[in-house]
Structure formats: C-alpha cells, structure tokens
C-alpha cells in the first residue's frame, strides 16, 4: 500500500496496538497532532500498549513529547518498523 497520507489503525481485538505511518514530508508538530487525535479517538478501548510506526524521526520525537505531556502513558512502547 502507498503511504502518501498519514494513517492510523487501532487493533480492536484487545491487543492495544496502534500502527502509525507518516509521509516523508510530515513534521513533528503534524505527527504529534495526528497521533494525539488517534489516541484520544480510541479512548474507549484504552491507551495502546504499543505504537508501531515507520522510522520517521518526527514520529519518535512526537511520542516522546506526548509522553512528557501526559497524553500518552510512559508505558507505551514505540516499535519502529521498516
């Protein structure tokens, strides 16, 4: 599949994993905004245990910032995949 646009999907089978892929033009502010929306919109299922994302540096930094702001719990694991 192509990854021209940001997308997020939540695993609804209690695995609590959030897959997140950024376009190459995405910056930290955009990644943070999008990820915060994805986490909040899935609040009824609880916080994700794992966030799978591409190796975009902006995503890693956005997750760190969201953890420090309390939007994302510090226990959330970030897995960078190819």
């Amino acid at each position: 599949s192509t990854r021209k646009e940001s997308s997020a999907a939540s695993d609804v089978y209690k695995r609590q994993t959030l897959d997140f892929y950024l376009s190459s033009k995405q910056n930290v502010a955009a990644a943070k905004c999008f990820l915060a929306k994805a986490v909040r919109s899935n609040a009824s299922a609880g916080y994700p245990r794992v966030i799978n994302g591409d190796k975009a540096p902006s995503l890693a930094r956005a997750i760190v910032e969201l953890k420090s702001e309390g939007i994302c719990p510090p226990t959330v694991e970030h897995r960078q995949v190819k």
Side-chain angles (χ1 to χ4, degrees), residues 8-55:
S10 177
D11 188 340
V12 295
Y13 299 105
K14 299 193 186 236
R15 294 164 93 188
Q16 297 178 327
T17 299
L18 183 65
D19 293 319
F20 190 88
Y21 300 98
L22 292 172
S23 71
S24 59
K25 297 179 182 180
Q26 203 70 288
N27 62 28
V28 175
K32 186 176 167 184
C33 179
F34 186 80
L35 185 56
K37 275 184 169 181
V39 168
R40 285 187 197 117
S41 70
N42 199 36
S44 61
Y47 288 107
R49 183 181 53 81
V50 175
I51 297 175
N52 293 324
D54 56 14
K55 294 189 178 188

